[in-house]
Amino acid sequence: MKNSIVPMPTAQHREGWFFFSLVCLWVGFVFFSFFSQLDRTFHFWGLLFNADAFPPADSAQWWKVWGESLGAVLTTVIVSAATLSLGKRVRVFFQLDFSNAWARWGFNFGLGAVVLGFFWIGTGLCGLWYLPVRQGLTAAILLLLLWDGFTLGRRFFQPVEGSQPRPGWSYGFLCLTGLAYVLLTLMVNLTPENFYDSMVYHLAVPQYWLDHHGLSDFPTNFFSNYPYGAETYFLNGLVFQGTEAAKMLHAVTFVFCAILAGGCAWEIGGARSGYLALGLVLTLPLLSLNIWTTQVEGFLTLAILLFIYALNRWARNQESQWPFIAGLFAGLAVAAKYNGAIAIAAAFVILAFRNRDFFTNNRWVSWAWFGAAFMLVAGPWILKNWSYTGNPTFPYFTSLFHGRHLPTEGYERLLTEQRGRIVTQWWDWLMLPWKLIMTNPDSYSFAGPVALALLPLIFLFKLRHPALRFLVWYSLLIFVISVSVTHILRFMVPDFVLLYILLAGALAGGDKPFWGKAAAWVAGVSAVLCFGYLANISHYYYDFSGIVSGRQTQEQYLTDSRKLTSYYGMSQWLSGHLPDDKRLLIVGDARGLYYKQPFLTNTVFDTQTLARIACEEKDAQGIARRLRELGVDYLVVNGLEGIRVSKDYHHYELTTDQWNHLDDFVQRGTQLMYSDNLQGVYGILPELKKSSKDEKADLILLFSPPTSQFFADVKKRDMNSAEEDLKQTVQLYPFSSFWKKQKSSFEKSAALSKNNTR
């Protein structure tokens, strides 16, 4: 069915000034409450390109920095073009027809991502991630793009049939503001990845697999047993360039997600609806913040939209290919993140109430194709978990399965952090949407006021289009399920995108086009104001001004003292002084990205390997033997990070005897090779020395409860509590002359301070 610029109205406006006035008052109240401090918003704009904090650079550094950035951009362009090219061939093979070009582009990209995922999963399960295989993939991609370039060149001079309708000033303003958001994302993503979760698992686990040439077991990091459907796509950037290209591929995924959302709205309500949905999604702050890193919500949202579109086509007709396509993208959603199953289940629940014939017995062949396609994409991750842990949904539902499991305290802490509850009483739930939106803008919950402000406009219309009626109930159901699981807005990105498609279809596609234009102006102005808050967040967490100006190299960026206990300097020392085949055990830090050598890490929710060994072994000799059995050659200790996490997560609650054995191993069984800023590298000796003449700095002793609390109290300048902490530390470490000296020195300093005060 061809889409005209003004199709039949998707919604009929309700007459009456009373509700109209209430809605206008609500919109004004929401925006006034959210932007009550506009002076701060505009102040933040000046932070974006402020490179004064960095010293001037010479031309050699400029070329180096800009050359590395250009490499990231070119890698992203090549991988994205290959994704579209592969997806187009799959689409043509399945004879998928689209009346809208935007939807076709979205499916080309989604199908291409599935194909590349098959390559990495297939070769990874076979342990074939070696250089010749990567070179073969590179050659295949380049040949494919050369052929497509030749074909495109022949078509360049052919006349183009038809033209895209112009969006108008209101929709154009919103989409241009969205383009500014994309440009901001491009500049942020020129910086190396420094997001904590990405350095722990989003990119660290794929790096571990690259070190082991395939999808091997990573038993000390439970996050490695999550599905990695999104990260296997980002892996194309990580392998061919680095973390910058991996981040940019997530940004490209977001752009095609917005294009697909616009295509869905266009098919529902015409061109105006398409442009409104495109602009709303591009200017969603929550999604922009997510794609500044290699988190997966942008990829997950694209997979869910593709699944919903394919499911809708499957429900409307008997074409045999759509059940298979719906299964592919349902599997991709679950492969991206477990909670993709929520969106899939909710869609089938709504469909069961609205179209019961869809579940009749004569569709069993379609259901078989759907199940086969789902398992084709999600199955490898489920089977991998089952094989390695004995639980296909590890680490969840452990009561149903025997095998590997998280410690009880760690599992409970994981669930608590993932839920992020901000209300406890039942009456507080009534105010939950307001509290979620009006929270201080941060990298986890900054969604902007548009969704909350414009949502009541739906009640001014009678929805005529069946897709809009489906979206109303579907959006409501997944929102209810989502907030029952978590109160962290970044986990609800798909909810916002679906709501924006609903709003675009009703407001711009209804019988009162004025509402679509008004919504576009309101959303555009809101996006301009929210841009200032995004500038502040990017400056604080991902300051790109040094790299964009050429004044800061990628290495300097990662060693910036403003980053969370940076360890990049230590990783660079390891790269320059140790062979690439030596295995590292990271102690006190869950992050493993940027280590050149193979590594073992523990997340904050896992039992710490070194602490467990110290508890289970009776002496230093036993600790040394266990570490050799793990193949560990060096202990890499991040004291600053270990102090922070051990205090919060109680990782090293050992007895005096256990600490004594562990320290004895450090003194007689290791060689301190690197020490700087409470970070150290200890080489494990072949045999324990008979005795140690000089006591070396044992950074692991920093992780006991009284010691970590001592540092916290000193930071708060609570010297009385710090003195008591130090006494407990010395009682716990009677074998350590270092801590006895620290206690004596601290007491003298405290006494001198008291005398000076008098």
Side-chain angles (χ1 to χ4, degrees):
M1 181 180 71
K2 296 289 184 181
N3 286 284
S4 59
I5 298 178
V6 184
M8 294 183 62
T10 59
Q12 181 180 352
H13 182 257
R14 301 178 190 270
E15 301 296 335
W17 285 95
F18 178 72
F19 289 108
F20 172 79
S21 302
L22 286 179
V23 169
C24 290
L25 287 174
W26 169 257
V27 172
F29 176 66
V30 170
F31 275 88
F32 175 79
S33 300
F34 194 90
F35 295 114
S36 57
Q37 296 180 328
L38 288 179
D39 57 324
R40 294 177 57 197
T41 304
F42 294 113
H43 166 73
F44 294 148
W45 279 61
L47 300 175
L48 279 179
F49 299 102
N50 184 9
D52 295 339
F54 308 100
D58 56 23
S59 58
Q61 179 169 312
W62 290 341
W63 287 115
K64 177 181 183 297
V65 174
W66 292 340
E68 291 173 345
S69 298
L70 180 61
V73 173
L74 289 178
T75 301
T76 304
V77 171
I78 291 173
V79 173
S80 301
T83 305
L84 288 169
S85 181
L86 291 169
K88 177 183 176 182
R89 284 164 168 77
V90 176
R91 176 181 59 80
V92 171
F93 174 81
F94 282 102
Q95 299 180 350
L96 305 180
D97 63 300
F98 299 90
S99 59
N100 179 269
W102 291 5
R104 184 166 62 248
W105 293 342
F107 268 80
N108 285 350
F109 188 85
L111 290 168
V114 170
V115 173
L116 288 173
F118 283 155
F119 170 82
W120 288 111
I121 295 171
T123 55
L125 290 174
C126 296
L128 296 177
W129 287 4
Y130 288 93
L131 182 60
V133 175
R134 302 180 205 173
Q135 292 173 336
L137 175 62
T138 304
I141 287 176
L142 292 177
L143 289 174
L144 181 68
L145 294 182
L146 285 174
W147 175 256
D148 283 353
F150 174 73
T151 305
L152 185 64
R154 289 192 305 171
R155 296 178 180 176
F156 183 79
F157 297 100
Q158 296 179 1
V160 179
E161 297 182 4
S163 61
Q164 296 289 340
R166 296 181 178 180
W169 287 105
S170 56
Y171 302 111
F173 170 64
L174 177 60
C175 291
L176 285 175
T177 307
L179 180 61
Y181 275 58
V182 174
L183 292 176
L184 174 62
T185 296
L186 173 63
M187 288 184 287
V188 171
N189 286 357
L190 291 175
T191 63
E193 180 65 281
N194 70 326
F195 179 62
Y196 184 85
D197 287 0
S198 296
M199 299 170 81
V200 172
Y201 65 101
H202 286 306
L203 291 184
V205 170
Q207 182 61 59
Y208 176 92
W209 289 336
L210 285 170
D211 293 338
H212 293 77
H213 310 296
L215 301 178
S216 58
D217 191 16
F218 191 173
T220 61
N221 186 325
F222 93 90
F223 282 125
S224 66
N225 296 293
Y226 277 172
Y228 277 73
E231 289 88 346
T232 49
Y233 182 67
F234 306 154
L235 187 61
N236 295 284
L238 183 65
V239 166
F240 296 124
Q241 187 274 328
T243 63
E244 298 93 319
K247 291 165 62 177
M248 285 189 179
L249 286 177
H250 195 194
V252 171
T253 302
F254 153 72
V255 171
F256 280 98
C257 177
I259 291 173
L260 179 61
C264 293
W266 192 316
E267 291 194 0
I268 293 172
R272 289 190 296 263
S273 296
Y275 283 112
L276 180 56
L278 173 66
L280 287 173
V281 176
L282 286 177
T283 56
L284 174 60
L286 195 63
L287 195 46
S288 294
L289 289 168
N290 192 269
I291 61 171
W292 290 355
T293 68
T294 48
Q295 301 174 72
V296 300
E297 275 70 26
F299 192 94
L300 171 65
T301 304
L302 175 65
I304 290 174
L305 286 185
L306 290 166
F307 162 70
I308 293 299
Y309 186 100
L311 180 65
N312 180 57
R313 292 290 296 268
W314 176 15
R316 284 188 307 174
N317 54 57
Q318 297 291 334
E319 295 177 75
S320 59
Q321 67 269 45
W322 284 108
F324 188 83
I325 300 301
L328 284 180
F329 292 122
L332 188 63
V334 172
K337 201 164 189 175
Y338 279 140
N339 60 2
I342 294 176
I344 297 167
F348 284 126
V349 168
I350 298 301
L351 204 59
F353 283 96
R354 296 189 53 81
N355 185 6
R356 296 185 180 181
D357 293 339
F358 181 74
F359 296 91
T360 56
N361 293 331
N362 59 357
R363 288 182 180 252
W364 68 269
V365 175
S366 297
W367 282 103
W369 280 114
F370 174 85
F374 176 86
M375 290 303 299
L376 195 62
V377 180
W381 303 109
I382 296 173
L383 294 175
K384 180 183 77 71
N385 277 2
W386 208 334
S387 174
Y388 290 150
T389 70
N391 179 356
T393 59
F394 184 86
Y396 307 105
F397 307 111
T398 53
S399 60
L400 302 178
F401 301 95
H402 299 288
R404 189 184 302 169
H405 61 276
L406 280 176
T408 302
E409 183 178 352
Y411 183 63
E412 292 175 352
R413 184 70 180 262
L414 170 69
L415 295 180
T416 299
E417 292 189 9
Q418 289 182 337
R419 288 165 181 161
R421 294 289 171 84
I422 62 174
V423 297
T424 54
Q425 305 297 331
W426 66 267
W427 54 83
D428 290 333
W429 286 79
L430 299 176
M431 292 295 294
L432 182 59
W434 178 271
K435 291 182 177 180
L436 290 174
I437 295 297
M438 292 299 168
T439 185
N440 289 328
D442 58 31
S443 58
Y444 283 85
S445 300
F446 180 32
V450 171
L452 184 64
L454 299 186
L455 178 61
L457 293 178
I458 294 295
F459 298 104
L460 297 180
F461 291 86
K462 295 179 181 178
L463 302 181
R464 299 301 187 189
H465 199 288
L468 294 184
R469 291 197 290 267
F470 172 84
L471 283 174
V472 165
W473 292 108
Y474 182 58
S475 301
L476 178 62
L477 180 58
I478 64 171
F479 174 75
V480 171
I481 298 175
S482 295
V483 296
S484 67
V485 174
T486 180
H487 291 170
I488 300 175
L489 279 183
R490 78 175 178 91
F491 296 147
M492 305 181 196
V493 169
D495 307 28
F496 284 89
V497 174
L498 292 167
L499 176 61
Y500 283 164
I501 296 174
L502 170 62
L503 287 170
L507 301 182
D511 59 353
K512 296 287 185 179
F514 157 79
W515 285 107
K517 296 179 180 179
W521 283 115
V522 168
V525 172
S526 173
V528 171
L529 298 178
C530 286
F531 194 85
Y533 291 107
L534 286 178
N536 182 45
I537 295 172
S538 71
H539 174 74
Y540 186 81
Y541 291 105
Y542 316 105
D543 187 5
F544 59 81
S545 57
I547 287 180
V548 171
S549 65
R551 292 187 173 191
Q552 186 184 39
T553 65
Q554 278 76 3
E555 292 79 10
Q556 291 169 340
Y557 177 88
L558 289 169
T559 55
D560 193 330
S561 59
R562 292 177 295 176
K563 304 297 181 290
L564 179 64
T565 56
S566 173
Y567 61 92
Y568 188 74
M570 182 166 57
S571 72
Q572 290 300 97
W573 184 91
L574 288 165
S575 299
H577 292 82
L578 298 186
D580 293 347
D581 60 346
K582 297 300 182 181
R583 196 175 203 184
L584 315 175
L585 174 62
I586 313 302
V587 182
D589 197 350
R591 298 167 295 177
L593 189 63
Y594 299 119
Y595 288 112
K596 190 176 182 181
Q597 292 80 10
F599 58 86
L600 290 175
T601 54
N602 301 115
T603 74
V604 295
F605 308 106
D606 284 301
T607 300
Q608 304 303 294
T609 299
L610 193 58
R612 175 173 52 82
I613 291 175
C615 291
E616 294 174 352
E617 296 300 325
K618 298 180 180 180
D619 53 26
Q621 185 68 45
I623 294 174
R625 176 179 51 80
R626 291 284 296 278
L627 289 173
R628 294 191 196 100
E629 289 174 355
L630 287 174
V632 174
D633 299 298
Y634 294 88
L635 299 181
V636 178
V637 184
N638 190 338
L640 290 174
E641 179 68 4
I643 292 170
R644 183 184 73 86
V645 298
S646 61
K647 177 180 177 297
D648 292 340
Y649 294 89
H650 312 291
H651 287 154
Y652 284 83
E653 296 186 342
L654 309 181
T655 65
T656 296
D657 287 341
Q658 291 165 348
W659 279 116
N660 190 12
H661 298 154
L662 185 55
D663 181 66
D664 186 31
F665 162 72
V666 171
Q667 300 301 330
R668 299 196 296 125
T670 69
Q671 177 185 359
L672 181 59
M673 306 180 66
Y674 171 91
S675 180
D676 182 54
N677 195 26
L678 295 184
Q679 295 178 342
V681 176
Y682 299 83
I684 298 178
L685 299 175
E687 298 291 340
L688 295 184
K689 293 186 293 185
K690 293 182 179 180
S691 63
S692 179
K693 296 181 180 179
D694 299 320
E695 182 180 6
K696 65 172 67 77
D698 185 353
L699 297 177
I700 304 169
L701 296 181
L702 301 176
F703 304 157
S704 69
T707 312
S708 58
Q709 186 61 46
F710 166 75
F711 284 94
D713 289 333
V714 169
K715 187 175 182 180
K716 294 186 295 184
R717 298 185 181 277
D718 184 358
M719 296 307 173
N720 291 330
S721 298
E723 186 173 2
E724 182 60 32
D725 297 332
L726 204 49
K727 290 179 181 178
Q728 295 178 20
T729 298
V730 172
Q731 292 174 0
L732 187 62
Y733 304 149
F735 50 84
S736 174
S737 59
F738 171 82
W739 282 103
K740 291 175 183 177
K741 292 177 182 179
Q742 293 298 311
K743 178 177 178 294
S744 176
S745 176
F746 184 86
E747 289 174 346
K748 290 178 181 179
S749 298
L752 182 61
S753 177
K754 290 179 181 179
N755 291 333
N756 291 336
T757 303
R758 292 174 184 173

